[in-house]
Amino acid sequence: MVGLFESQWLGGTVPLKNRIVMPPMTRTRTSDGDVPNALMATYYGQRAGAGLIVAEVADVAPSSNGYAMTPGIYTEAQLRGWRLVTDEVHRKGGTMFSQMWHVGRMAHPSLMPNGEAPWGVTEQPAENSDVFAHDADGKLGYMRAGTPRRLETEEVSALVGTFAQAFANARQAGFDGVELHAANGYLLEQFMNSVLNTRTDRYGGGSVEDRTRFLMEVVDAAVRELGPGRVGVRLSPFGYFNSMPVDTLAEETLLYVSQQLGQRGVAYIHLVYELMPAGNMETAEFKKHHIDHAVLAKVRTAFPGAIIWCGGFTSREEAESALDTRLVDLIAFGRPYIANPDLAERLKHGWPLAVADRSTYYTRRGEVGYTDFPAYSTGSARGAA
């Protein structure tokens, strides 16, 4: 039996005190300029009991900004803000990776530099999906993603350099490693989908090698900057969030990517096994999805690193049952971490979990619903289930 509270070395380089992961969750608490701040440092420091914290996703460039008030990692002010966060997590004995993305077509011109069109693998829009952006009157709200323009071949290659600079910035900001967001219908996954990617250049969808080339070039840049044991990749095989078309070659792509990541010494694959409809995170109904163990066993064979499973876990029993399969190594608890800063201790001792008010997930109300949840040992379990 594999215990949830057993320690582990991630990638042979990063020590983890338990097998609990706090996955990335956007919370829209940044300061002006998409700058992380002291409030965010408090929030993450409160949750440093996790074996690994993966920070909310960061934009690698202004062109990556698909959702208002998400943090960036490309300006000096943003790096200073992230340093506040990582210093606090380390002071509390935690380990923290930065998750990075480019949203691609999942953006709106109101958030893009000079109001330009979003960047896409093709001109195909995410016809049924929304982003959080500014309307014609400047008011923030959910609206349909804009129609993208197709990136030229040289622009895709240049984006690899943009990611490489972001990796250097993550090191400067004090992160222990980075996770690439190649899931949930954002740019890296847009290239990997054989239905959406109809390009005919070297990043085109005609072969698995070509449609995964962009991801592999970005991974290579990350490994060069940070070392193989400090790079992870998040994947959402078989998902259709953000209007991703059903891809009959999804398993082929997953296994090829797993094998290639293993050859590059990537520390972990972070698998998202939740099915989410085409809408936005505010209104989407999340459904637990049981892993197809036959497919997962193939991933385990192809990839020698650690596997994180993120799939709606809410209890120690569920997590340890998954670990007992020996097909995964680490368990991500998402929403339970919002209302339970001491989640690891609650799971360890069987203490009840608090439940957050969903209306406070994405707000500008400061600490309300963010840093005001007490630890069980020092206060009542507010909203305990």
Side-chain angles (χ1 to χ4, degrees):
M1 178 176 180
V2 181
L4 189 60
F5 294 91
E6 291 182 16
S7 61
Q8 176 165 327
W9 282 88
L10 189 62
T13 303
V14 181
L16 305 182
K17 57 193 170 187
N18 57 52
R19 294 170 182 254
I20 297 170
V21 177
M22 177 182 171
M25 292 180 286
T26 295
R27 300 301 308 279
T28 64
R29 274 9 185 242
T30 56
S31 298
D32 290 344
D34 298 329
V35 174
N37 51 43
L39 182 66
M40 291 171 61
T42 297
Y43 170 76
Y44 284 110
Q46 289 173 338
R47 290 153 177 81
L52 174 65
I53 294 175
V54 184
E56 61 202 89
V57 67
D59 293 312
V60 298
S63 64
S64 171
N65 188 6
Y67 298 86
M69 299 178 293
T70 54
I73 195 163
Y74 54 87
T75 71
E76 288 299 323
Q78 290 165 353
L79 299 194
R80 289 194 297 270
W82 279 124
R83 175 60 80 168
L84 292 176
V85 175
T86 59
D87 281 352
E88 181 65 9
V89 169
H90 292 152
R91 189 178 72 82
K92 295 289 186 66
T95 299
M96 191 173 199
F97 276 34
S98 168
Q99 190 191 62
M100 298 183 181
W101 69 357
H102 194 293
V103 300
R105 68 177 186 167
M106 287 306 303
H108 187 271
S110 68
L111 295 175
M112 294 289 290
N114 303 312
E116 67 177 279
W119 295 7
V121 61
T122 67
E123 296 87 359
Q124 178 65 38
E127 295 177 345
N128 300 307
S129 296
D130 296 336
V131 296
F132 190 57
H134 300 279
D135 64 17
D137 298 321
K139 183 180 179 180
L140 282 170
Y142 285 99
M143 60 194 67
R144 198 52 32 103
T147 298
R149 70 171 181 85
R150 178 189 179 278
L151 287 168
E152 299 297 331
T153 304
E154 59 272 18
E155 290 180 299
V156 181
S157 298
L159 265 178
V160 177
T162 300
F163 272 96
Q165 182 60 57
F167 302 144
N169 292 347
R171 181 192 290 277
Q172 181 181 338
F175 285 101
D176 298 295
V178 300
E179 176 180 296
L180 299 176
H181 195 346
N184 298 130
Y186 299 110
L187 187 61
L188 287 166
E189 188 179 40
Q190 290 165 27
F191 273 84
M192 290 192 290
N193 187 286
S194 68
V195 177
L196 182 61
N197 185 349
T198 57
R199 302 170 67 98
T200 57
D201 62 0
R202 66 192 188 94
Y203 296 105
S207 70
V208 65
E209 293 84 2
D210 286 347
R211 66 175 177 271
T212 61
R213 188 183 308 279
F214 179 35
L215 172 62
M216 296 309 160
E217 289 181 354
V218 173
V219 168
D220 288 341
V223 171
R224 283 194 298 270
E225 179 62 38
L226 297 159
R230 297 183 181 273
V231 178
V233 177
R234 195 178 214 204
L235 302 169
S236 57
F238 319 113
Y240 49 89
F241 186 58
N242 283 331
S243 301
M244 290 298 288
V246 174
D247 186 357
T248 59
L249 299 181
E251 182 175 330
E252 173 193 337
T253 303
L254 170 64
L255 298 180
Y256 176 81
V257 166
S258 299
Q259 183 263 338
Q260 289 293 313
L261 296 181
Q263 289 184 0
R264 288 164 165 80
V266 165
Y268 68 82
I269 291 175
H270 187 171
L271 290 174
V272 185
Y273 269 88
E274 282 185 313
L275 296 179
M276 296 177 287
N280 57 64
M281 291 287 190
E282 182 78 7
T283 59
E285 288 298 322
F286 293 80
K287 300 177 182 179
K288 289 185 183 179
H289 177 56
H290 296 289
I291 281 182
D292 182 329
H293 284 199
V295 173
L296 190 53
K298 294 177 184 177
V299 175
R300 173 62 96 188
T301 299
F303 180 71
I307 297 175
I308 302 173
W309 182 13
C310 182
F313 289 96
T314 58
S315 73
R316 178 175 181 175
E317 292 72 24
E318 289 177 330
E320 292 192 330
S321 177
L323 292 173
D324 281 345
T325 66
R326 303 282 179 169
L327 297 176
V328 296
D329 305 281
L330 300 155
I331 302 297
F333 290 83
R335 281 161 287 168
Y337 252 118
I338 293 176
N340 300 278
D342 57 338
L343 180 65
E345 288 298 303
R346 294 196 190 216
L347 293 173
K348 186 173 185 178
H349 297 290
W351 295 336
L353 301 185
V355 178
D357 177 356
R358 190 176 179 85
S359 69
T360 67
Y361 281 12
Y362 317 109
T363 72
R364 299 297 277 176
R365 296 170 62 190
E367 67 177 15
V368 176
Y370 190 59
T371 58
D372 60 341
F373 294 101
Y376 184 81
S377 58
T378 59
S380 61
R382 185 177 66 189

